[in-house]
Amino acid sequence: MKSNDSTKDVKKFNNPNALLPTNMQNVTPTIHDDIGQSQGSGNTADAEKYNNYTFYGDVFFAFIDVLGFKKAFEEKAIISSYIESEKETSVQAPAYDKVFELFFDLINNSNFYNSSKARDRYAGQTSDTIYFYTRHPNILLDFLKIFSYLNLFAMSLGIFFRGGVSHGSLYVNQPHQFYGDSVINAYQFESDIAKNPILLIDDFTTKEITKLKECPSNFIIGTGNKRNCLNPFAFWSCNYKLGSLVQNIEAIDIRPERIERILNEKKTKHEYDARNYDKYIFLINEFERIMKNKSDKIVGGNYDYQK
């Protein structure tokens, strides 16, 4: 899969430490069947010459899609075609721009992105997709903690994510030009396997993250079908704060009752939509599970939630 920073849909990150061939130990490439050849170490020069991509065999890749993005803008275009041009600004798609802007700010101000100690990580956005990759499980954990906050912020605006995290190989030319089974598997998690607005995580990645002492309990949960996903409400239920992960950004006060209202509105809207109804039931059930404890202190917002 290739993502090109030259497209008009992409906003660049301040990225002094991208995953480039010079930043990571070089690995003798084996060109897999997905590009039509199988070459071993005896043909290393030919493999490098073949497409100028460098192979890395140990990468965690997150592929995260914004749900409803295309439909929202199609509906906006239809409505706009029926109203006067000077009134067009009154017709707004959901606040995707606010979500993406916060994503850019969180990543550019994150501790792991500004550190000189670990160089191999990169985040990007193209159209309605955000992505992140690194070789280090501790950096991936920090990214997922930050994403959990972004996920709640998006929910508070009626915007939902679905995605996957996979461990595997990655071929890199420029940081935004890549392909490999880590990308393909993460994409398949999002497009083919995840039915709900969740971030599925493969078994290997789950083991690598949960054995870290910095990983909170209940940060990764089971989906009920022997798969694992990021707890959709981890920023509330797990004991960490945004200030430990990013600089110059204070957590916005995201009220649980607002999320609850939006989820119930979505449930009502899609009551007769078999494809979408169960998505919001899943989130409502997870929300109620998180809020069950009488003394729940919502760590991210520093307030108590009373049902």
Side-chain angles (χ1 to χ4, degrees):
M1 180 172 293
K2 184 182 290 187
S3 171
N4 194 327
D5 275 348
S6 64
T7 62
K8 64 181 180 180
D9 292 329
V10 178
K11 179 172 179 178
K12 293 183 179 180
F13 289 86
N14 300 324
N15 186 45
N17 300 309
L19 187 151
L20 287 169
T22 55
N23 299 143
M24 300 175 65
Q25 182 180 359
N26 193 23
V27 179
T28 301
T30 298
I31 305 301
H32 296 292
D33 293 339
D34 58 353
I35 58 171
Q37 296 191 36
S38 180
Q39 301 182 27
S41 59
N43 294 317
T44 298
D46 292 339
E48 291 176 347
K49 184 179 179 181
Y50 180 76
N51 56 11
N52 294 322
Y53 281 72
T54 304
F55 172 82
Y56 305 103
D58 189 31
V59 174
F60 300 96
F61 195 99
F63 181 97
I64 304 169
D65 192 55
V66 182
L67 299 180
F69 186 86
K70 180 180 178 182
K71 182 179 179 182
F73 282 93
E74 286 176 345
E75 290 175 351
K76 178 181 177 181
I78 292 171
I79 295 171
S80 297
S81 67
Y82 286 95
I83 63 176
E84 299 173 20
S85 58
E86 61 267 21
K87 296 181 180 179
E88 187 169 333
T89 55
S90 65
V91 181
Q92 299 292 332
Y96 295 104
D97 55 342
K98 293 181 180 179
V99 174
F100 288 132
E101 285 172 7
L102 179 59
F103 179 58
F104 302 141
D105 289 342
L106 289 169
I107 294 297
N108 284 328
N109 288 280
S110 65
N111 296 334
F112 67 77
Y113 222 59
N114 290 294
S115 169
S116 60
K117 294 180 180 179
R119 301 180 61 83
D120 49 338
R121 70 273 195 217
Y122 187 77
Q125 178 239 335
T126 176
S127 188
D128 59 344
T129 300
I130 58 178
Y131 60 87
F132 179 82
Y133 58 85
T134 180
R135 292 184 65 222
H136 297 283
N138 62 311
I139 293 179
L140 176 65
L141 175 60
D142 283 355
F143 168 78
L144 292 176
K145 287 180 177 180
I146 290 172
F147 172 75
S148 181
Y149 169 70
L150 178 74
N151 187 45
L152 280 185
F153 175 77
M155 275 193 209
S156 74
L157 299 175
I159 296 171
F160 297 85
F161 291 109
R162 184 177 64 208
V165 181
S166 177
H167 175 267
S169 66
L170 192 69
Y171 294 82
V172 180
N173 184 2
Q174 295 298 316
H176 55 278
Q177 295 176 320
F178 50 77
Y179 65 94
D181 58 14
S182 64
V183 187
I184 294 169
N185 292 336
Y187 171 77
Q188 287 181 327
F189 263 163
E190 187 281 321
S191 62
D192 298 330
I193 300 173
K195 305 304 180 185
N196 299 316
I198 55 176
L199 190 61
L200 285 177
I201 303 175
D202 69 14
D203 289 342
F204 179 85
T205 304
T206 297
K207 291 174 184 176
E208 291 299 301
I209 290 177
T210 53
K211 71 183 182 183
L212 296 171
K213 64 179 182 180
E214 298 85 2
C215 182
S217 60
N218 207 37
F219 186 72
I220 296 177
I221 61 175
T223 63
N225 58 356
K226 296 186 177 180
R227 296 190 185 275
N228 303 300
C229 71
L230 176 67
N231 180 344
F233 304 100
F235 185 71
W236 280 342
S237 63
C238 299
N239 189 27
Y240 70 91
K241 292 189 177 183
L242 192 66
S244 65
L245 302 164
V246 300
Q247 303 170 16
N248 307 317
I249 296 179
E250 293 186 10
I252 299 168
D253 188 15
I254 304 169
R255 302 296 302 185
E257 53 266 32
R258 178 176 175 82
I259 300 291
E260 185 178 36
R261 175 177 59 79
I262 287 173
L263 291 176
N264 280 300
E265 286 174 356
K266 292 286 187 181
K267 182 189 75 168
T268 301
K269 179 181 178 181
H270 295 286
E271 184 175 1
Y272 303 103
D273 181 349
R275 188 170 64 90
N276 287 305
Y277 183 75
D278 288 345
K279 297 177 182 178
Y280 300 106
I281 293 296
F282 173 86
L283 288 177
I284 288 170
N285 289 339
E286 286 303 308
F287 177 88
E288 291 177 347
R289 182 179 67 83
I290 293 298
M291 298 300 170
K292 248 180 191 177
N293 295 336
K294 257 314 198 179
S295 60
D296 250 350
K297 177 95 169 174
I298 307 302
V299 174
N302 292 317
Y303 52 80
D304 294 313
Y305 172 70
Q306 297 297 329
K307 181 81 172 176

